[in-house]
């Protein structure tokens, strides 16, 4: 069945470091791909999305490119801030009703 | 637009009791989803409504679980005879069909603890 696998955390970085969180997926067909973020004490928020191969989603300095050949959607940011500390979830939409299939989440901790 | 709201935010119940959660989606959204998230995991799909019709249910949704969306607006999720394994965060999300990638907007969740 369809699934999403993302790198285990926690990821601990110093402020202004480069961030990569790996995400790969298995799917029949070509799902839309998403990154959601969950800040401490808050609900899930959509960070960025991509709907077809080679699309690049971007928001708040974060980017991810839909790579069909490697079935990947890695999240990157050039310079992280303490305020980026959160749990990041990679997800794909699945089926006719577009339910989301999530990865297990990756906790990011950024220190000053 | 006040976003998706859920009530209550926290619920502690004893094993064997029934609980009911409510979700109010964004007002014009016709699609509504319920997910369950356990500690350290990503959310898992439970069920989906388009307007008032429940169109898909996960195998995770045992017979003790029932969900309704009677007028195509708010939804309720009831768990009967709760078990300790039901302890989780229950998330509701909504979206509007015909909006491309169907981004789902999530509520803050209801955290259930079964003692």
């Amino acid at each position: 069945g369809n699934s999403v696998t993302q790198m285990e955390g926690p990821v601990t970085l110093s402020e202004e470091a480069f961030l990569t969180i790996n995400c790969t997926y298995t799917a029949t067909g070509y799902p839309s791909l998403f990154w959601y973020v969950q800040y401490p004490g808050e609900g899930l928020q959509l960070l960025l999305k991509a709907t077809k191969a080679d699309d690049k989603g971007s928001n708040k300095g974060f980017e991810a490119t839909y790579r069909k050949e490697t079935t990947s959607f890695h999240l990157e940011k050039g310079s992280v801030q303490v305020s980026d500390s959160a749990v990041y979830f990679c997800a794909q939409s699945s089926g006719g009703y577009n339910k989301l299939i999530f990865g297990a989440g990756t906790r990011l901790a950024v220190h000053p | 637009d006040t976003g998706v709201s859920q009530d209550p935010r926290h619920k502690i119940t004893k094993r064997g009791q029934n609980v009911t959660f409510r979700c109010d989606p964004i007002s014009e959204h016709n699609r509504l989803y319920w997910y369950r998230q356990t500690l350290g995991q990503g959310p898992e799909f439970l069920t989906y409504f388009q307007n008032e019709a429940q169109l898909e249910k996960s195998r995770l949704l045992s017979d003790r679980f029932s969900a309704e969306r009677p007028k195509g607006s708010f939804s309720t999720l009831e768990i009967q005879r709760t078990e300790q394994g039901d302890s989780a965060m229950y998330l509701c999300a909504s979206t509007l069909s015909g909006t491309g990638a169907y981004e789902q907007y999530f509520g803050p969740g209801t955290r259930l603890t079964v003692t």
Side-chain angles (χ1 to χ4, degrees), chain A residues 9-41:
Chain A
V11 173
T12 304
L13 295 173
S14 297
E15 205 164 25
E16 299 184 0
F18 184 84
L19 168 71
T20 299
I21 300 178
N22 291 339
C23 171
T24 57
Y25 67 92
T26 60
T28 52
Y30 304 102
S32 294
L33 301 174
F34 306 84
W35 278 99
Y36 278 82
V37 58
Q38 190 169 38
Y39 297 104

PDB file of all heavy atoms in Angstrom, chain A residues 9-41:
ATOM      1  N   GLY A   9      14.123  11.460  13.945  1.00  0.00           N
ATOM      2  CA  GLY A   9      14.753  12.534  14.695  1.00  0.00           C
ATOM      3  C   GLY A   9      15.233  12.023  16.042  1.00  0.00           C
ATOM      4  O   GLY A   9      15.276  10.824  16.268  1.00  0.00           O
ATOM      5  N   PRO A  10      15.519  12.942  16.918  1.00  0.00           N
ATOM      6  CA  PRO A  10      15.481  14.366  16.659  1.00  0.00           C
ATOM      7  C   PRO A  10      16.681  14.850  15.854  1.00  0.00           C
ATOM      8  O   PRO A  10      17.729  14.223  15.873  1.00  0.00           O
ATOM      9  CB  PRO A  10      15.472  14.968  18.055  1.00  0.00           C
ATOM     10  CG  PRO A  10      16.193  13.970  18.901  1.00  0.00           C
ATOM     11  CD  PRO A  10      15.871  12.620  18.316  1.00  0.00           C
ATOM     12  N   VAL A  11      16.455  15.919  15.131  1.00  0.00           N
ATOM     13  CA  VAL A  11      17.523  16.608  14.436  1.00  0.00           C
ATOM     14  C   VAL A  11      17.849  17.855  15.258  1.00  0.00           C
ATOM     15  O   VAL A  11      16.952  18.647  15.553  1.00  0.00           O
ATOM     16  CB  VAL A  11      17.089  17.011  13.013  1.00  0.00           C
ATOM     17  CG1 VAL A  11      18.159  17.874  12.360  1.00  0.00           C
ATOM     18  CG2 VAL A  11      16.791  15.779  12.172  1.00  0.00           C
ATOM     19  N   THR A  12      19.083  17.984  15.639  1.00  0.00           N
ATOM     20  CA  THR A  12      19.507  19.118  16.454  1.00  0.00           C
ATOM     21  C   THR A  12      20.517  19.942  15.676  1.00  0.00           C
ATOM     22  O   THR A  12      21.528  19.409  15.210  1.00  0.00           O
ATOM     23  CB  THR A  12      20.135  18.640  17.776  1.00  0.00           C
ATOM     24  OG1 THR A  12      19.195  17.809  18.463  1.00  0.00           O
ATOM     25  CG2 THR A  12      20.488  19.827  18.664  1.00  0.00           C
ATOM     26  N   LEU A  13      20.215  21.219  15.515  1.00  0.00           N
ATOM     27  CA  LEU A  13      21.067  22.105  14.734  1.00  0.00           C
ATOM     28  C   LEU A  13      21.308  23.407  15.474  1.00  0.00           C
ATOM     29  O   LEU A  13      20.498  23.820  16.317  1.00  0.00           O
ATOM     30  CB  LEU A  13      20.408  22.435  13.387  1.00  0.00           C
ATOM     31  CG  LEU A  13      20.201  21.284  12.407  1.00  0.00           C
ATOM     32  CD1 LEU A  13      19.391  21.764  11.211  1.00  0.00           C
ATOM     33  CD2 LEU A  13      21.528  20.718  11.942  1.00  0.00           C
ATOM     34  N   SER A  14      22.376  24.051  15.112  1.00  0.00           N
ATOM     35  CA  SER A  14      22.628  25.410  15.597  1.00  0.00           C
ATOM     36  C   SER A  14      21.948  26.399  14.660  1.00  0.00           C
ATOM     37  O   SER A  14      21.718  26.099  13.471  1.00  0.00           O
ATOM     38  CB  SER A  14      24.130  25.692  15.647  1.00  0.00           C
ATOM     39  OG  SER A  14      24.764  24.830  16.548  1.00  0.00           O
ATOM     40  N   GLU A  15      21.595  27.539  15.205  1.00  0.00           N
ATOM     41  CA  GLU A  15      20.969  28.578  14.393  1.00  0.00           C
ATOM     42  C   GLU A  15      21.837  28.892  13.178  1.00  0.00           C
ATOM     43  O   GLU A  15      23.071  28.891  13.260  1.00  0.00           O
ATOM     44  CB  GLU A  15      20.778  29.827  15.244  1.00  0.00           C
ATOM     45  CG  GLU A  15      19.668  30.728  14.783  1.00  0.00           C
ATOM     46  CD  GLU A  15      19.270  31.733  15.854  1.00  0.00           C
ATOM     47  OE1 GLU A  15      20.107  32.042  16.722  1.00  0.00           O
ATOM     48  OE2 GLU A  15      18.120  32.191  15.819  1.00  0.00           O
ATOM     49  N   GLU A  16      21.178  29.107  12.037  1.00  0.00           N
ATOM     50  CA  GLU A  16      21.794  29.436  10.745  1.00  0.00           C
ATOM     51  C   GLU A  16      22.390  28.216  10.040  1.00  0.00           C
ATOM     52  O   GLU A  16      22.951  28.362   8.954  1.00  0.00           O
ATOM     53  CB  GLU A  16      22.846  30.540  10.874  1.00  0.00           C
ATOM     54  CG  GLU A  16      22.267  31.851  11.406  1.00  0.00           C
ATOM     55  CD  GLU A  16      23.278  32.969  11.450  1.00  0.00           C
ATOM     56  OE1 GLU A  16      24.437  32.740  11.064  1.00  0.00           O
ATOM     57  OE2 GLU A  16      22.905  34.070  11.880  1.00  0.00           O
ATOM     58  N   ALA A  17      22.262  27.037  10.604  1.00  0.00           N
ATOM     59  CA  ALA A  17      22.735  25.836   9.912  1.00  0.00           C
ATOM     60  C   ALA A  17      21.787  25.465   8.785  1.00  0.00           C
ATOM     61  O   ALA A  17      20.638  25.922   8.726  1.00  0.00           O
ATOM     62  CB  ALA A  17      22.859  24.679  10.903  1.00  0.00           C
ATOM     63  N   PHE A  18      22.267  24.595   7.882  1.00  0.00           N
ATOM     64  CA  PHE A  18      21.467  24.099   6.765  1.00  0.00           C
ATOM     65  C   PHE A  18      20.681  22.870   7.230  1.00  0.00           C
ATOM     66  O   PHE A  18      21.194  22.011   7.930  1.00  0.00           O
ATOM     67  CB  PHE A  18      22.382  23.706   5.599  1.00  0.00           C
ATOM     68  CG  PHE A  18      21.645  23.268   4.371  1.00  0.00           C
ATOM     69  CD1 PHE A  18      21.182  24.196   3.459  1.00  0.00           C
ATOM     70  CD2 PHE A  18      21.406  21.915   4.125  1.00  0.00           C
ATOM     71  CE1 PHE A  18      20.493  23.803   2.320  1.00  0.00           C
ATOM     72  CE2 PHE A  18      20.722  21.513   2.988  1.00  0.00           C
ATOM     73  CZ  PHE A  18      20.260  22.455   2.083  1.00  0.00           C
ATOM     74  N   LEU A  19      19.423  22.816   6.796  1.00  0.00           N
ATOM     75  CA  LEU A  19      18.543  21.722   7.210  1.00  0.00           C
ATOM     76  C   LEU A  19      18.145  20.873   6.015  1.00  0.00           C
ATOM     77  O   LEU A  19      17.770  21.407   4.952  1.00  0.00           O
ATOM     78  CB  LEU A  19      17.261  22.280   7.840  1.00  0.00           C
ATOM     79  CG  LEU A  19      16.125  21.280   8.068  1.00  0.00           C
ATOM     80  CD1 LEU A  19      16.477  20.316   9.199  1.00  0.00           C
ATOM     81  CD2 LEU A  19      14.818  22.006   8.366  1.00  0.00           C
ATOM     82  N   THR A  20      18.229  19.558   6.183  1.00  0.00           N
ATOM     83  CA  THR A  20      17.605  18.615   5.260  1.00  0.00           C
ATOM     84  C   THR A  20      16.868  17.580   6.094  1.00  0.00           C
ATOM     85  O   THR A  20      17.459  17.008   7.013  1.00  0.00           O
ATOM     86  CB  THR A  20      18.631  17.887   4.377  1.00  0.00           C
ATOM     87  OG1 THR A  20      19.344  18.834   3.592  1.00  0.00           O
ATOM     88  CG2 THR A  20      17.933  16.906   3.456  1.00  0.00           C
ATOM     89  N   ILE A  21      15.615  17.349   5.774  1.00  0.00           N
ATOM     90  CA  ILE A  21      14.849  16.238   6.345  1.00  0.00           C
ATOM     91  C   ILE A  21      14.397  15.383   5.175  1.00  0.00           C
ATOM     92  O   ILE A  21      13.668  15.847   4.297  1.00  0.00           O
ATOM     93  CB  ILE A  21      13.636  16.711   7.160  1.00  0.00           C
ATOM     94  CG1 ILE A  21      14.077  17.602   8.315  1.00  0.00           C
ATOM     95  CG2 ILE A  21      12.876  15.490   7.697  1.00  0.00           C
ATOM     96  CD1 ILE A  21      12.921  18.160   9.137  1.00  0.00           C
ATOM     97  N   ASN A  22      14.854  14.137   5.163  1.00  0.00           N
ATOM     98  CA  ASN A  22      14.553  13.251   4.044  1.00  0.00           C
ATOM     99  C   ASN A  22      13.151  12.657   4.141  1.00  0.00           C
ATOM    100  O   ASN A  22      12.686  12.306   5.239  1.00  0.00           O
ATOM    101  CB  ASN A  22      15.573  12.118   3.976  1.00  0.00           C
ATOM    102  CG  ASN A  22      16.942  12.613   3.564  1.00  0.00           C
ATOM    103  OD1 ASN A  22      17.084  13.671   2.965  1.00  0.00           O
ATOM    104  ND2 ASN A  22      17.976  11.858   3.895  1.00  0.00           N
ATOM    105  N   CYS A  23      12.518  12.534   2.992  1.00  0.00           N
ATOM    106  CA  CYS A  23      11.199  11.918   2.902  1.00  0.00           C
ATOM    107  C   CYS A  23      11.119  11.139   1.598  1.00  0.00           C
ATOM    108  O   CYS A  23      11.445  11.676   0.534  1.00  0.00           O
ATOM    109  CB  CYS A  23      10.104  12.975   2.935  1.00  0.00           C
ATOM    110  SG  CYS A  23       8.453  12.345   2.570  1.00  0.00           S
ATOM    111  N   THR A  24      10.716   9.883   1.677  1.00  0.00           N
ATOM    112  CA  THR A  24      10.447   9.090   0.487  1.00  0.00           C
ATOM    113  C   THR A  24       9.052   8.511   0.596  1.00  0.00           C
ATOM    114  O   THR A  24       8.503   8.369   1.696  1.00  0.00           O
ATOM    115  CB  THR A  24      11.467   7.954   0.299  1.00  0.00           C
ATOM    116  OG1 THR A  24      11.452   7.129   1.462  1.00  0.00           O
ATOM    117  CG2 THR A  24      12.866   8.500   0.073  1.00  0.00           C
ATOM    118  N   TYR A  25       8.487   8.151  -0.530  1.00  0.00           N
ATOM    119  CA  TYR A  25       7.117   7.646  -0.530  1.00  0.00           C
ATOM    120  C   TYR A  25       6.996   6.451  -1.463  1.00  0.00           C
ATOM    121  O   TYR A  25       7.807   6.265  -2.380  1.00  0.00           O
ATOM    122  CB  TYR A  25       6.135   8.741  -0.944  1.00  0.00           C
ATOM    123  CG  TYR A  25       6.280   9.181  -2.378  1.00  0.00           C
ATOM    124  CD1 TYR A  25       5.536   8.581  -3.401  1.00  0.00           C
ATOM    125  CD2 TYR A  25       7.177  10.180  -2.731  1.00  0.00           C
ATOM    126  CE1 TYR A  25       5.692   8.959  -4.718  1.00  0.00           C
ATOM    127  CE2 TYR A  25       7.339  10.571  -4.045  1.00  0.00           C
ATOM    128  CZ  TYR A  25       6.603   9.955  -5.042  1.00  0.00           C
ATOM    129  OH  TYR A  25       6.767  10.337  -6.347  1.00  0.00           O
ATOM    130  N   THR A  26       6.005   5.636  -1.226  1.00  0.00           N
ATOM    131  CA  THR A  26       5.583   4.605  -2.165  1.00  0.00           C
ATOM    132  C   THR A  26       4.128   4.883  -2.492  1.00  0.00           C
ATOM    133  O   THR A  26       3.330   5.217  -1.598  1.00  0.00           O
ATOM    134  CB  THR A  26       5.724   3.188  -1.591  1.00  0.00           C
ATOM    135  OG1 THR A  26       4.910   3.080  -0.431  1.00  0.00           O
ATOM    136  CG2 THR A  26       7.160   2.873  -1.232  1.00  0.00           C
ATOM    137  N   ALA A  27       3.795   4.770  -3.751  1.00  0.00           N
ATOM    138  CA  ALA A  27       2.430   5.091  -4.164  1.00  0.00           C
ATOM    139  C   ALA A  27       2.120   4.450  -5.498  1.00  0.00           C
ATOM    140  O   ALA A  27       3.003   4.243  -6.325  1.00  0.00           O
ATOM    141  CB  ALA A  27       2.255   6.607  -4.278  1.00  0.00           C
ATOM    142  N   THR A  28       0.842   4.157  -5.684  1.00  0.00           N
ATOM    143  CA  THR A  28       0.359   3.830  -7.012  1.00  0.00           C
ATOM    144  C   THR A  28      -0.134   5.140  -7.610  1.00  0.00           C
ATOM    145  O   THR A  28      -0.881   5.874  -6.985  1.00  0.00           O
ATOM    146  CB  THR A  28      -0.782   2.809  -6.939  1.00  0.00           C
ATOM    147  OG1 THR A  28      -1.772   3.309  -6.027  1.00  0.00           O
ATOM    148  CG2 THR A  28      -0.289   1.470  -6.434  1.00  0.00           C
ATOM    149  N   GLY A  29       0.316   5.443  -8.799  1.00  0.00           N
ATOM    150  CA  GLY A  29      -0.065   6.717  -9.382  1.00  0.00           C
ATOM    151  C   GLY A  29       0.842   7.837  -8.907  1.00  0.00           C
ATOM    152  O   GLY A  29       1.955   7.595  -8.423  1.00  0.00           O
ATOM    153  N   TYR A  30       0.335   9.058  -9.005  1.00  0.00           N
ATOM    154  CA  TYR A  30       1.148  10.241  -8.719  1.00  0.00           C
ATOM    155  C   TYR A  30       0.429  11.124  -7.715  1.00  0.00           C
ATOM    156  O   TYR A  30      -0.362  11.987  -8.076  1.00  0.00           O
ATOM    157  CB  TYR A  30       1.424  10.986 -10.033  1.00  0.00           C
ATOM    158  CG  TYR A  30       2.088  10.089 -11.045  1.00  0.00           C
ATOM    159  CD1 TYR A  30       1.381   9.520 -12.095  1.00  0.00           C
ATOM    160  CD2 TYR A  30       3.441   9.768 -10.916  1.00  0.00           C
ATOM    161  CE1 TYR A  30       2.001   8.679 -13.002  1.00  0.00           C
ATOM    162  CE2 TYR A  30       4.070   8.923 -11.820  1.00  0.00           C
ATOM    163  CZ  TYR A  30       3.336   8.376 -12.868  1.00  0.00           C
ATOM    164  OH  TYR A  30       3.944   7.531 -13.748  1.00  0.00           O
ATOM    165  N   PRO A  31       0.723  10.883  -6.456  1.00  0.00           N
ATOM    166  CA  PRO A  31       0.011  11.646  -5.417  1.00  0.00           C
ATOM    167  C   PRO A  31       0.507  13.077  -5.337  1.00  0.00           C
ATOM    168  O   PRO A  31       1.585  13.401  -5.851  1.00  0.00           O
ATOM    169  CB  PRO A  31       0.386  10.877  -4.145  1.00  0.00           C
ATOM    170  CG  PRO A  31       1.752  10.323  -4.436  1.00  0.00           C
ATOM    171  CD  PRO A  31       1.722   9.964  -5.892  1.00  0.00           C
ATOM    172  N   SER A  32      -0.242  13.934  -4.692  1.00  0.00           N
ATOM    173  CA  SER A  32       0.275  15.227  -4.258  1.00  0.00           C
ATOM    174  C   SER A  32       1.064  14.992  -2.976  1.00  0.00           C
ATOM    175  O   SER A  32       0.756  14.089  -2.192  1.00  0.00           O
ATOM    176  CB  SER A  32      -0.868  16.211  -4.005  1.00  0.00           C
ATOM    177  OG  SER A  32      -1.533  16.514  -5.203  1.00  0.00           O
ATOM    178  N   LEU A  33       2.072  15.815  -2.770  1.00  0.00           N
ATOM    179  CA  LEU A  33       2.963  15.663  -1.616  1.00  0.00           C
ATOM    180  C   LEU A  33       2.952  16.927  -0.782  1.00  0.00           C
ATOM    181  O   LEU A  33       2.827  18.041  -1.318  1.00  0.00           O
ATOM    182  CB  LEU A  33       4.389  15.349  -2.086  1.00  0.00           C
ATOM    183  CG  LEU A  33       4.550  14.081  -2.924  1.00  0.00           C
ATOM    184  CD1 LEU A  33       5.975  13.960  -3.453  1.00  0.00           C
ATOM    185  CD2 LEU A  33       4.175  12.853  -2.110  1.00  0.00           C
ATOM    186  N   PHE A  34       3.088  16.748   0.512  1.00  0.00           N
ATOM    187  CA  PHE A  34       2.946  17.852   1.449  1.00  0.00           C
ATOM    188  C   PHE A  34       3.995  17.752   2.558  1.00  0.00           C
ATOM    189  O   PHE A  34       4.424  16.664   2.927  1.00  0.00           O
ATOM    190  CB  PHE A  34       1.566  17.822   2.132  1.00  0.00           C
ATOM    191  CG  PHE A  34       0.395  17.794   1.188  1.00  0.00           C
ATOM    192  CD1 PHE A  34      -0.056  16.596   0.654  1.00  0.00           C
ATOM    193  CD2 PHE A  34      -0.258  18.957   0.852  1.00  0.00           C
ATOM    194  CE1 PHE A  34      -1.138  16.557  -0.218  1.00  0.00           C
ATOM    195  CE2 PHE A  34      -1.344  18.938  -0.010  1.00  0.00           C
ATOM    196  CZ  PHE A  34      -1.786  17.737  -0.540  1.00  0.00           C
ATOM    197  N   TRP A  35       4.351  18.905   3.102  1.00  0.00           N
ATOM    198  CA  TRP A  35       5.021  18.985   4.390  1.00  0.00           C
ATOM    199  C   TRP A  35       4.130  19.788   5.326  1.00  0.00           C
ATOM    200  O   TRP A  35       3.698  20.899   4.997  1.00  0.00           O
ATOM    201  CB  TRP A  35       6.386  19.660   4.276  1.00  0.00           C
ATOM    202  CG  TRP A  35       7.469  18.728   3.829  1.00  0.00           C
ATOM    203  CD1 TRP A  35       7.974  18.595   2.567  1.00  0.00           C
ATOM    204  CD2 TRP A  35       8.174  17.795   4.641  1.00  0.00           C
ATOM    205  NE1 TRP A  35       8.946  17.629   2.556  1.00  0.00           N
ATOM    206  CE2 TRP A  35       9.092  17.127   3.804  1.00  0.00           C
ATOM    207  CE3 TRP A  35       8.132  17.459   6.000  1.00  0.00           C
ATOM    208  CZ2 TRP A  35       9.966  16.135   4.295  1.00  0.00           C
ATOM    209  CZ3 TRP A  35       8.991  16.487   6.474  1.00  0.00           C
ATOM    210  CH2 TRP A  35       9.899  15.835   5.627  1.00  0.00           C
ATOM    211  N   TYR A  36       3.828  19.169   6.472  1.00  0.00           N
ATOM    212  CA  TYR A  36       3.098  19.834   7.535  1.00  0.00           C
ATOM    213  C   TYR A  36       4.057  20.056   8.704  1.00  0.00           C
ATOM    214  O   TYR A  36       4.993  19.283   8.921  1.00  0.00           O
ATOM    215  CB  TYR A  36       1.912  18.990   8.005  1.00  0.00           C
ATOM    216  CG  TYR A  36       0.681  19.111   7.145  1.00  0.00           C
ATOM    217  CD1 TYR A  36       0.541  18.369   5.971  1.00  0.00           C
ATOM    218  CD2 TYR A  36      -0.362  19.958   7.501  1.00  0.00           C
ATOM    219  CE1 TYR A  36      -0.604  18.478   5.185  1.00  0.00           C
ATOM    220  CE2 TYR A  36      -1.507  20.078   6.727  1.00  0.00           C
ATOM    221  CZ  TYR A  36      -1.617  19.338   5.575  1.00  0.00           C
ATOM    222  OH  TYR A  36      -2.737  19.451   4.796  1.00  0.00           O
ATOM    223  N   VAL A  37       3.773  21.100   9.494  1.00  0.00           N
ATOM    224  CA  VAL A  37       4.599  21.406  10.652  1.00  0.00           C
ATOM    225  C   VAL A  37       3.697  21.529  11.882  1.00  0.00           C
ATOM    226  O   VAL A  37       2.554  22.006  11.791  1.00  0.00           O
ATOM    227  CB  VAL A  37       5.428  22.697  10.439  1.00  0.00           C
ATOM    228  CG1 VAL A  37       4.549  23.897  10.154  1.00  0.00           C
ATOM    229  CG2 VAL A  37       6.332  22.968  11.634  1.00  0.00           C
ATOM    230  N   GLN A  38       4.204  21.041  12.993  1.00  0.00           N
ATOM    231  CA  GLN A  38       3.456  21.108  14.254  1.00  0.00           C
ATOM    232  C   GLN A  38       4.355  21.785  15.285  1.00  0.00           C
ATOM    233  O   GLN A  38       5.316  21.179  15.788  1.00  0.00           O
ATOM    234  CB  GLN A  38       3.070  19.699  14.700  1.00  0.00           C
ATOM    235  CG  GLN A  38       2.090  19.642  15.845  1.00  0.00           C
ATOM    236  CD  GLN A  38       1.549  18.220  16.037  1.00  0.00           C
ATOM    237  OE1 GLN A  38       2.264  17.232  15.887  1.00  0.00           O
ATOM    238  NE2 GLN A  38       0.266  18.114  16.359  1.00  0.00           N
ATOM    239  N   TYR A  39       4.056  23.049  15.570  1.00  0.00           N
ATOM    240  CA  TYR A  39       4.805  23.783  16.588  1.00  0.00           C
ATOM    241  C   TYR A  39       4.328  23.352  17.973  1.00  0.00           C
ATOM    242  O   TYR A  39       3.189  22.882  18.123  1.00  0.00           O
ATOM    243  CB  TYR A  39       4.635  25.283  16.407  1.00  0.00           C
ATOM    244  CG  TYR A  39       5.190  25.791  15.098  1.00  0.00           C
ATOM    245  CD1 TYR A  39       4.342  26.117  14.049  1.00  0.00           C
ATOM    246  CD2 TYR A  39       6.561  25.929  14.908  1.00  0.00           C
ATOM    247  CE1 TYR A  39       4.845  26.570  12.840  1.00  0.00           C
ATOM    248  CE2 TYR A  39       7.071  26.371  13.699  1.00  0.00           C
ATOM    249  CZ  TYR A  39       6.208  26.685  12.673  1.00  0.00           C
ATOM    250  OH  TYR A  39       6.700  27.124  11.473  1.00  0.00           O
ATOM    251  N   PRO A  40       5.157  23.494  18.974  1.00  0.00           N
ATOM    252  CA  PRO A  40       4.775  23.061  20.326  1.00  0.00           C
ATOM    253  C   PRO A  40       3.437  23.651  20.758  1.00  0.00           C
ATOM    254  O   PRO A  40       3.227  24.858  20.692  1.00  0.00           O
ATOM    255  CB  PRO A  40       5.930  23.584  21.185  1.00  0.00           C
ATOM    256  CG  PRO A  40       7.105  23.661  20.267  1.00  0.00           C
ATOM    257  CD  PRO A  40       6.533  24.037  18.928  1.00  0.00           C
ATOM    258  N   GLY A  41       2.535  22.783  21.158  1.00  0.00           N
ATOM    259  CA  GLY A  41       1.234  23.232  21.670  1.00  0.00           C
ATOM    260  C   GLY A  41       0.254  23.675  20.605  1.00  0.00           C
ATOM    261  O   GLY A  41      -0.822  24.176  20.932  1.00  0.00           O
TER     262      GLY A  41
END
